[in-house]
Amino acid sequence: MPQVVFSLDSTKKFTEQEIVGHNRWHGDIPAQVHVKPGDSFRVHCREWFDGAIHNDDSAEDVLNAPLPGVHVLSGPIAVEGAQPGDLLIVDILDVGPIPQEDSGPLAGQGWGYTGVFATKNGGGFLTEWFPDAYKVVWDFMGGVATSRHVPGVSYTGIVHPGLMGTAPSGALLAKWNAREQTLIDTDPDRVPPLALPPLPDSAILGSLTGAEFDRVAAEAARTAPPRENGGNQDIKNFTKGTRVFYPVFVDGAKLSMGDLHFSQGDGEITFCGAIEMGGFMDLHVDLIKGGMETYGVSENAIFMPGNVDPQYSQWLAFSGTSVTLDGVQHYLDSHLSYQRACLHAIDYLQKFGYSAIQAYMILGSAPIEGRLSGVVDIPNSCSTVYLPTAIFDIDVRPSASGPAQVEQGMSVPTASF
């Protein structure tokens, strides 16, 4: 096993650890871990809410989740010799749930969860149709997830970090804050909001204290969206064997990671989605000096995905176009067409006895494939959702005998304001 450079004790909160990580992006958060090019090492990661979501049959914890505190990230980790303009090579050697802890109160100790936020808390991809808070708990065994809340399905894990990236420079951070505030100003009272500005409340900034903590907390960017440094990209193919090339914006690169997922569908459409958990990552790092200019990577990482994805041979594909449910035509709106494809899949699965929210949870957490199938044929964009049929215990393919019915048990826990 590689040396553990960022350790987490499962009996303690994130802010009580020997090394405290962070939950904001800022180049002045000190790196408390230092590695060299060529090093391999292990990092422990806490589930993004630091244990606030429980293995029970209530969605009140999702409804009242401590949103200002996310994501709790392990890092920053400084790489010796990294300078602005370099490319940081990160190899994911291994990633998984909390090692040797197959039961306990933390997600990752033999279980994980999928959630949907209430609309006022950010909602999800289909918040107009699912405005309340919902939660599904999954149990892990032998690399497979099953749930008492969604019967008749099981997934082989496609374990990956939802979030990983390098620290922004001061100029890049200022660009983020300015453009996102401009967007917020177009509709400042929107629910859910258009963007999340800096928020000192619940900020965790590593070893910073006093006036320096206050300054950085007022400037630091929230970790919810993906940006030029990588960040919360939620790419399900960031699995074991992946090699990522991150742009470096500050000395040392200051790499951070977290938000591990046991499984996820393309788009993580439930938002508090995928199957969330804590766990570990084994990483190897190296540098390409001056690589940003050499390879034209001025922003956003490029990556070579791993080859450990579960293999499915049969799929049901659902398509959608950029027309609203009430018949309003939009111009090449791929967001809308993907929404419609997902809604068609949900309608279909209900014919087999699943509730609408169970079907939505399946699309968020199962290894579905989401594709932009056509983006040039005006006025309709076409998006498709590919659903692997092997994840179901029953045959969900259309047939002359009609749809089989899943045997229902416990319903999906729901909570509302």
Side-chain angles (χ1 to χ4, degrees):
M1 184 184 81
Q3 178 187 2
V4 179
V5 299
F6 195 102
S7 177
L8 293 174
D9 182 340
S10 294
T11 67
K12 297 179 180 179
K13 292 184 65 63
F14 189 75
T15 52
E16 298 170 352
Q17 301 292 328
E18 183 177 348
I19 301 176
V20 176
H22 62 107
N23 63 358
R24 301 289 193 269
W25 289 118
H26 198 292
D28 291 341
I29 299 174
Q32 299 180 77
V33 174
H34 295 77
V35 297
K36 298 178 180 179
D39 282 355
S40 297
F41 52 90
R42 174 166 289 192
V43 175
H44 294 166
C45 297
R46 183 63 55 83
E47 168 266 331
W48 70 312
F49 276 122
D50 191 26
I53 309 302
H54 308 128
N55 185 353
D56 60 20
D57 302 318
S58 168
E60 293 293 329
D61 50 3
V62 174
L63 184 71
N64 298 299
L67 290 165
V70 298
H71 301 77
V72 288
L73 301 181
S74 299
I77 297 171
V79 179
E80 184 178 302
Q83 296 175 304
D86 296 343
L87 283 178
L88 175 65
I89 305 173
V90 180
D91 290 306
I92 301 177
L93 305 178
D94 202 359
V95 55
I98 301 174
Q100 288 81 50
E101 297 183 25
D102 57 4
S103 65
L106 295 177
Q109 293 178 319
W111 65 279
Y113 68 90
T114 303
V116 174
F117 290 133
T119 298
K120 69 177 290 184
N121 284 344
F125 189 56
L126 303 177
T127 194
E128 296 175 54
W129 296 271
F130 300 94
D132 297 320
Y134 308 86
K135 183 177 75 178
V136 164
V137 174
W138 303 89
D139 295 308
F140 307 152
M141 183 172 290
V144 173
T146 58
S147 174
R148 62 185 180 270
H149 299 130
V150 183
V153 293
S154 59
Y155 317 148
T156 298
I158 180 169
V159 183
H160 62 280
L163 193 159
M164 187 159 60
T166 53
S169 65
L172 183 57
L173 176 63
K175 180 190 296 186
W176 293 352
N177 288 339
R179 74 188 184 200
E180 290 171 25
Q181 188 60 53
T182 298
L183 177 62
I184 293 169
D185 291 342
T186 64
D187 190 358
D189 299 320
R190 185 180 185 272
V191 178
L194 289 169
L196 301 172
L199 179 69
D201 176 37
S202 301
I204 302 171
L205 304 174
S207 61
L208 288 180
T209 59
E212 190 68 354
F213 180 99
D214 294 339
R215 177 187 69 82
V216 171
E219 299 171 352
R222 308 282 287 278
T223 59
R227 297 188 181 90
E228 289 90 332
N229 67 326
N232 193 30
Q233 294 182 296
D234 292 313
I235 300 170
K236 77 174 193 289
N237 305 102
F238 264 38
T239 55
K240 179 179 177 179
T242 293
R243 170 169 285 188
V244 195
F245 302 84
Y246 282 110
V248 174
F249 302 105
V250 299
D251 287 340
K254 294 187 174 179
L255 178 71
S256 300
M257 67 289 298
D259 188 29
L260 301 189
H261 298 160
F262 185 86
S263 177
Q264 181 199 301
D266 279 339
E268 198 194 12
I269 62 175
T270 51
F271 185 17
C272 181
I275 299 179
E276 306 283 353
M277 68 173 196
F280 75 96
M281 294 184 68
D282 290 344
L283 303 172
H284 177 276
V285 294
D286 216 327
L287 290 173
I288 300 177
K289 299 299 294 180
M292 289 176 65
E293 180 177 356
T294 301
Y295 290 101
V297 183
S298 59
E299 58 185 45
N300 298 100
I302 57 176
F303 73 103
M304 301 163 60
N307 58 1
V308 296
D309 297 2
Q311 300 300 305
Y312 295 103
S313 59
Q314 293 191 347
W315 307 75
L316 271 177
F318 302 86
S319 62
T321 57
S322 47
V323 180
T324 67
L325 285 174
D326 53 4
V328 176
Q329 180 73 62
H330 287 237
Y331 179 80
L332 296 181
D333 187 336
S334 297
H335 182 277
L336 174 58
S337 63
Y338 194 55
Q339 258 192 357
R340 292 299 304 273
C342 291
L343 289 169
H344 291 154
I346 290 170
D347 288 344
Y348 182 87
L349 289 177
Q350 288 182 81
K351 297 298 184 181
F352 292 81
Y354 288 104
S355 68
I357 185 59
Q358 286 175 329
Y360 186 24
M361 290 293 198
I362 290 170
L363 295 184
S365 58
I368 67 168
E369 297 284 345
R371 302 179 186 177
L372 297 179
S373 299
V375 294
V376 296
D377 297 314
I378 60 173
N380 271 331
S381 166
C382 177
S383 295
T384 45
V385 168
Y386 287 66
L387 186 64
T389 58
I391 68 174
F392 296 95
D393 292 346
I394 60 174
D395 189 350
V396 295
R397 296 172 298 177
S399 69
S401 60
Q405 296 298 297
V406 68
E407 184 176 342
Q408 281 288 356
M410 186 177 297
S411 61
V412 172
T414 306
S416 59
F417 287 104

